[in-house]
Amino acid sequence: MDAARYARVRDLFLAAEELPVAEQATFLRDQTGDDTELLQEVLSLLGEHDAESARLEGERHIPLPPAAQAITPIAQNSPAKTVTPEDSEIATSAGPRTTHGDTAGQTRDSASKRKKKTSQITQLGAQRTHASPRETESFAPTRQSAQATVWAQLARQSRRRTSGWLWLAALLPTALVGWWTYAQVESIMHQSVRNELQGVADSVGLASERFLSDKAQLVRSWARQPGIKTAIEQLVANEASYQPPEAFEPADPTEQIRSQLQQLSGSSKVEFVVWSDSYRTITFSGVPSARIGQPVAPQHASHLTRVMSGETVLLGPERANTQDQPVMAMLVPIADSEGTVIAALQVQGVDVYDDFNRMFMNVSLAGKLDTYAVDRDGIMITESPQAARLAREEILGIPKTLVAANLRVVDPGIKLDSDNVKELARSTRPLTIAVAEATNGVSNVRIEPYKSYAGTDVVGAWRWHPDWDLGVIIERDADVVFAPARIVRLGFVILGSLLFFTGFFAAARIAKTSTAQRAAIHPLTRYEVMGELGSGGMGIVYRAKHRQLGRDAALKVLSGDRRQKEDRLRFDREARLAASLSNPHSVMIYDYGQSEGGEAYCVMELLKGLTLHDVVGRSGCQPIGRTLCIISQMCDALAEAHHMNLLHRDIKPQNVMLSLDASVGDWAVVFDYGLAKPLQPVSGVYQTSESLWSGTPMYMSPERFRDPALMDPRSDIYSVGCVAYFLLSGRAPFIECDPESLFALILTEQPISISVHRNESIPTEINDLVMRCMAKNADARFESITELSRVVDQLRVKYAWNIDEAKVWWKHYGAT
């Protein structure tokens, strides 16, 4: 008997069992029609069924009300799909479920009523269990009176059993409820504080990172200006024999740099310094004779080394002296026409520090938080309003004007005041817990109180930004945070004392009052399912819309046949790993959870457009410029994943969605992280063992076949090369019906030349790029996705693909 047949027999049995014995056979003949075998199966079960024994069994095991499942099975939105018992567990909010069932006082002597129950069989059967056939239905309106009867009966039994202990029966439950409520309030408060601190830390961290990135991008754009670049190249060429400004023709390069930076920044206060690759000053905005030819300061040598390797470095904030305000500067590389870094340009005086400091102060004042940034040495580099107030009150031992870029954030060991601060030696004290972890590159949230730089108990969150070598600290006074919990605790103590004197009355009233049940709202009822988008190995994906927000989304529900613990953990891992990515070229996760009914679900961004597989299917081989544009965006997404030690492991044309963005043109998004896996074990994330390869064979690297457990970012680079080959040639690199033959081709053979498929030659540099990505030996490929991205971006300058070309393609081929 298959699942569908079993469900049919069960539903007919449950419906017929509620009818009088004399009407059961007639009812079943109406329902089974010509299926005599089905009729005999149900009649046989009814003949062996002992209703009284089942009733007694149900009374001995009265089930707690399960979570509400007031939703419509998804199968109702897909008429072509057969409804199975597993399907009935997958739910959506396409509409409210109509609850069917009999009340205790209904009569069953009417043939018309028997026919009315025909439409109720499937749903009624799906809502019952063998242990308690009438009580499993969750909070349906027609079952509320039955539930109330059950709970009232329990209350009466409890009152009879405890008639001599009413005082104790009233006081003990109240104490337990009070303790439980306080524990829940405290837990919820802790979680709320944790979420708040984490949210603010993430927001401030992201805002500060975007601010510095924007400033760095702005200065880099200035450094690429022809006038500035030419002037610096001239200074580098004349470094060996310094010439006075009047010796340069037709104009002094230093003045040329100054005037253009002032014009670009709109500020006459802009200052600059230029160092050559010999780490010596070749010009700066001050008096020329003061520093020309001088080597870089020792504390900045490491920064200059990073710039000479092509990085952009943030300097400061630093103070020239105690009277000056802190200054932040951007240090950017200057490259020649061949891409070799020949000099470094430092730009300051464009209000970088003022804007950066103001951002932190606004967050502190708006949220009543202590928000500040620290450098690698634990020095507070922004002016915290809290620290400034303490400095004014002479509690920190330093003037208010010297807080920023001067105060070392240490744990004083005691609560500071104006008297004991004079005995504090900050240079010998350890950093606070938050700053110590942040400067070690750890981002965390801590709601267990720890000591701040003033010696008070605080809770906080912190983030570290290695690109800018600074940390963001968010702290709040612990006494203020947990004051409501203390009030709740005091309230329950007072309440318990009052109930001690009124226990008898309260116990009697509680015993006589039936417990009201509240319907739990199934989480998926927030979404209206519009239709099925597709299905995969782990789940089914539906197009859905949030009922309140009106936002379209893709709703992925774990398949009914994948309800084992390992399947749920894999599903959980996919959602958590995908949610950890923030790159705009990676799919965005909106929500994730699991209902009491066992449905694990994941709500993600609904990607509109065409997969790369569809793009090639509609228009064949793609232009070189467009291919490079798509590959560049894929590299952006994978670079973030690889930076987080996360491999995708299933890069293929079907897992990249392409759409048209009005301001950018082609916009690619990488999705389906179902096979993604961390390079190293991550605490709290389910890890799978690898004994068989997983992924799409045509796009898998050779080493993945040899060693399925091999974790190497270059395997993703191989797959990116296969996607590039597919876009350029219109075909997969290896196609073979026989799996063994396909594996042999991937392991030993080179793909057919792209030019053969295109019927035209392609530039050698493009072919070399693809073939290097698809090298059999991982050591012959690009070392990292970042290196590949850099090469692709260089080629995009030569093989352009603009917005207008993208719009033309989408106009001709993009219509659904």
Side-chain angles (χ1 to χ4, degrees):
M1 180 183 298
D2 58 18
R5 181 78 171 184
Y6 170 78
R8 178 66 171 162
V9 170
R10 181 189 62 187
D11 295 341
L12 287 173
F13 170 81
L14 293 174
E17 188 267 336
E18 295 182 348
L19 300 175
V21 176
E23 299 179 7
Q24 291 178 353
T26 303
F27 169 75
L28 290 175
R29 290 191 188 94
D30 293 340
Q31 299 299 318
T32 57
D34 297 333
D35 195 343
T36 56
E37 183 179 353
L38 177 60
L39 174 63
Q40 293 302 321
E41 288 179 355
V42 179
L43 288 176
S44 176
L45 290 174
L46 289 172
E48 298 175 2
H49 177 59
D50 187 341
E52 182 61 22
S53 298
R55 184 187 63 79
L56 294 175
E57 180 70 15
E59 289 183 355
R60 287 197 298 270
H61 301 282
I62 299 177
L64 292 176
Q69 301 178 4
I71 49 177
T72 304
I74 283 177
Q76 292 179 359
N77 293 324
S78 304
K81 184 175 179 181
T82 303
V83 180
T84 67
E86 291 80 7
D87 292 328
S88 66
E89 298 180 10
I90 302 176
T92 178
S93 58
R97 172 185 292 174
T98 303
T99 305
H100 302 283
D102 297 330
T103 58
Q106 281 183 313
T107 59
R108 303 180 177 90
D109 56 350
S110 172
S112 60
K113 290 187 178 180
R114 292 199 304 270
K115 293 181 180 179
K116 184 177 181 180
K117 295 186 65 64
T118 302
S119 62
Q120 306 170 4
I121 293 175
T122 301
Q123 191 163 352
L124 181 61
Q127 296 173 345
R128 291 185 173 177
T129 65
H130 295 289
S132 181
R134 291 182 176 83
E135 296 299 336
T136 309
E137 210 165 2
S138 303
F139 304 111
T142 56
R143 292 293 181 182
Q144 289 182 357
S145 59
Q147 291 285 0
T149 302
V150 171
W151 287 98
Q153 181 182 359
L154 290 177
R156 289 193 298 269
Q157 293 175 354
S158 176
R159 187 171 64 251
R160 286 193 298 268
R161 288 193 302 267
T162 59
S163 58
W165 303 91
L166 285 180
W167 282 89
L168 182 61
L171 186 60
L172 183 60
T174 302
L176 293 175
V177 170
W179 171 84
W180 178 85
T181 304
Y182 171 73
Q184 292 298 313
V185 169
E186 187 177 42
S187 174
I188 293 172
M189 182 170 296
H190 281 198
Q191 187 61 42
S192 176
V193 172
R194 178 183 294 275
N195 292 341
E196 178 190 10
L197 291 173
Q198 183 172 348
V200 174
D202 290 340
S203 299
V204 175
L206 181 60
S208 59
E209 188 167 4
R210 285 180 176 175
F211 172 83
L212 294 174
S213 297
D214 291 344
K215 289 293 184 182
Q217 183 65 30
L218 179 62
V219 176
R220 285 197 296 267
S221 68
W222 294 349
R224 290 193 294 267
Q225 293 297 317
I228 295 177
K229 188 174 181 181
T230 302
I232 294 177
E233 289 176 346
Q234 187 176 0
L235 289 168
V236 171
N238 288 275
E239 180 188 8
S241 56
Y242 170 70
Q243 300 293 330
E246 58 271 13
F248 291 97
E249 294 293 342
D252 179 11
T254 301
E255 290 301 322
Q256 186 176 354
I257 296 172
R258 178 185 288 108
S259 62
Q260 191 154 2
L261 283 177
Q262 289 177 351
Q263 180 182 0
L264 292 170
S265 65
S267 172
S268 60
K269 300 179 182 179
V270 64
E271 298 179 6
F272 62 90
V273 183
V274 181
W275 286 281
S276 67
D277 55 2
S278 61
Y279 289 35
R280 292 185 178 276
T281 305
I282 56 177
T283 188
F284 74 108
S285 55
V287 179
S289 60
R291 292 171 57 182
I292 299 299
Q294 295 296 318
V296 66
Q299 64 269 27
H300 292 159
S302 61
H303 298 317
L304 198 57
T305 300
R306 292 172 56 193
V307 176
M308 291 303 176
S309 66
E311 297 183 38
T312 297
V313 175
L314 172 69
L315 292 181
E318 295 178 344
R319 294 175 183 265
N321 54 65
T322 57
Q323 303 301 322
D324 294 338
Q325 288 294 321
V327 175
M328 295 175 73
M330 287 292 177
L331 193 58
V332 299
I334 304 296
D336 59 15
S337 58
E338 297 180 356
T340 302
V341 178
I342 60 173
L345 171 64
Q346 175 184 322
V347 178
Q348 64 189 50
V350 288
D351 297 331
V352 176
Y353 176 75
D354 292 340
D355 294 341
F356 187 71
N357 185 56
R358 189 180 302 110
M359 177 175 61
F360 279 80
M361 293 190 68
N362 290 340
V363 174
S364 297
L365 297 175
K368 296 182 180 180
L369 299 164
D370 193 11
T371 307
Y372 55 92
V374 296
D375 63 11
R376 177 69 69 177
D377 298 323
I379 303 298
M380 184 183 295
I381 60 177
T382 58
E383 187 177 356
S384 161
Q386 173 79 358
R389 179 182 63 79
L390 295 175
R392 284 196 303 270
E393 297 173 0
E394 299 182 352
I395 293 179
L396 295 182
I398 59 174
K400 168 186 175 296
T401 56
L402 296 183
V403 169
N406 183 54
L407 176 65
R408 187 166 182 264
V409 186
V410 299
D411 180 357
I414 56 174
K415 185 175 181 179
L416 294 180
D417 55 39
S418 57
D419 295 327
N420 61 24
V421 69
K422 299 175 183 178
E423 303 173 1
L424 175 66
R426 288 191 175 274
S427 59
T428 62
R429 295 297 304 171
L431 298 173
T432 64
I433 290 177
V435 176
E437 289 196 5
T439 53
N440 284 322
V442 177
S443 297
N444 199 1
V445 179
R446 183 183 175 97
I447 59 173
E448 294 79 16
Y450 61 92
K451 297 297 183 182
S452 70
Y453 52 83
T456 58
D457 289 335
V458 295
V459 295
W462 47 92
R463 300 289 182 268
W464 182 254
H465 299 295
D467 293 341
W468 304 109
D469 220 24
L470 60 83
V472 173
I473 312 295
I474 310 294
E475 293 178 333
R476 172 167 283 181
D477 192 302
D479 290 338
V480 175
V481 169
F482 298 116
R486 292 194 298 271
I487 295 175
V488 171
R489 180 171 55 190
L490 178 61
F492 275 110
V493 170
I494 297 174
L495 179 62
S497 301
L498 294 175
L499 286 174
F500 180 79
F501 298 102
T502 59
F504 182 83
F505 176 76
R509 292 298 299 264
I510 292 173
K512 293 180 180 179
T513 303
S514 60
T515 304
Q517 303 295 321
R518 294 180 300 174
I521 300 177
H522 194 290
L524 295 184
T525 59
R526 296 192 297 266
Y527 297 93
E528 178 183 0
V529 171
M530 312 303 293
E532 183 176 332
L533 292 176
S535 60
M538 289 297 294
I540 304 173
V541 183
Y542 300 91
R543 181 190 181 99
K545 176 179 289 188
H546 196 285
R547 289 184 175 273
Q548 286 74 36
L549 301 179
R551 178 176 64 187
D552 291 334
L555 173 63
K556 187 173 184 178
V557 183
L558 187 64
S559 298
D561 58 347
R562 304 299 294 268
R563 297 295 175 85
Q564 299 299 320
K565 180 179 180 180
E566 183 175 354
D567 295 327
R568 292 198 304 270
L569 291 174
R570 285 178 180 269
F571 194 79
D572 173 78
R573 183 192 69 180
E574 175 186 356
R576 293 181 62 179
L577 293 180
S580 67
L581 303 176
S582 59
N583 189 279
H585 295 292
S586 294
V587 66
M588 181 181 297
I589 302 298
Y590 295 145
D591 194 9
Y592 171 76
Q594 180 176 333
S595 71
E596 290 81 353
E599 302 98 340
Y601 65 93
C602 177
V603 185
M604 65 190 76
E605 173 187 6
L606 179 64
L607 300 177
K608 299 180 180 180
L610 301 171
T611 66
L612 297 186
H613 185 271
D614 296 332
V615 168
V616 171
R618 294 193 179 199
S619 62
C621 305
Q622 299 302 301
I624 295 176
R626 189 184 203 190
T627 299
L628 293 175
C629 175
I630 295 171
I631 296 301
S632 175
Q633 297 180 23
M634 292 174 59
C635 288
D636 284 347
L638 292 176
E640 181 196 27
H642 288 186
H643 181 71
M644 300 173 65
N645 288 329
L646 176 65
L647 299 186
H648 189 285
R649 301 202 305 163
D650 197 18
I651 294 294
K652 58 183 178 181
Q654 293 88 336
N655 283 347
V656 181
M657 185 71 73
L658 192 66
S659 60
L660 177 63
D661 186 281
S663 59
V664 177
D666 283 330
W667 186 265
V669 176
V670 179
F671 62 97
D672 197 350
Y673 284 82
L675 295 178
K677 193 167 186 178
L679 284 168
Q680 291 145 6
V682 179
S683 176
V685 176
Y686 172 68
Q687 304 294 321
T688 58
S689 59
E690 296 290 347
S691 58
L692 298 173
W693 56 263
S694 55
T696 304
M698 289 182 290
Y699 299 95
M700 282 173 53
S701 60
E703 62 268 19
R704 290 281 307 284
F705 293 104
R706 300 189 185 100
D707 185 2
L710 181 64
M711 304 297 293
D712 193 329
R714 293 173 294 183
S715 298
D716 278 353
I717 293 177
Y718 178 91
S719 301
V720 171
C722 292
V723 173
Y725 181 98
F726 176 78
L727 293 172
L728 292 170
S729 66
R731 297 171 180 265
F734 302 103
I735 302 176
E736 195 60 58
C737 295
D738 181 12
E740 294 184 0
S741 301
L742 176 61
F743 300 160
L745 288 176
I746 294 175
L747 292 172
T748 61
E749 301 295 332
Q750 296 295 329
I752 298 174
S753 173
I754 297 174
S755 301
V756 173
H757 292 303
R758 292 177 69 96
N759 291 323
E760 63 179 7
S761 61
I762 65 168
T764 303
E765 54 191 352
I766 301 299
N767 187 73
D768 291 345
L769 173 73
V770 178
M771 292 301 104
R772 183 177 175 187
C773 291
M774 296 179 61
K776 304 295 183 185
N777 187 352
D779 294 334
R781 300 174 200 151
F782 292 96
E783 293 185 1
S784 67
I785 201 74
T786 304
E787 181 186 359
L788 170 59
S789 176
R790 184 164 52 249
V791 174
V792 171
D793 288 342
Q794 292 172 356
L795 291 173
R796 288 183 64 191
V797 177
K798 185 175 180 180
Y799 303 97
W801 175 261
N802 56 42
I803 298 177
D804 294 334
E805 291 174 306
K807 290 181 178 179
V808 170
W809 188 93
W810 285 97
K811 181 178 181 180
H812 285 85
Y813 299 103
T816 57

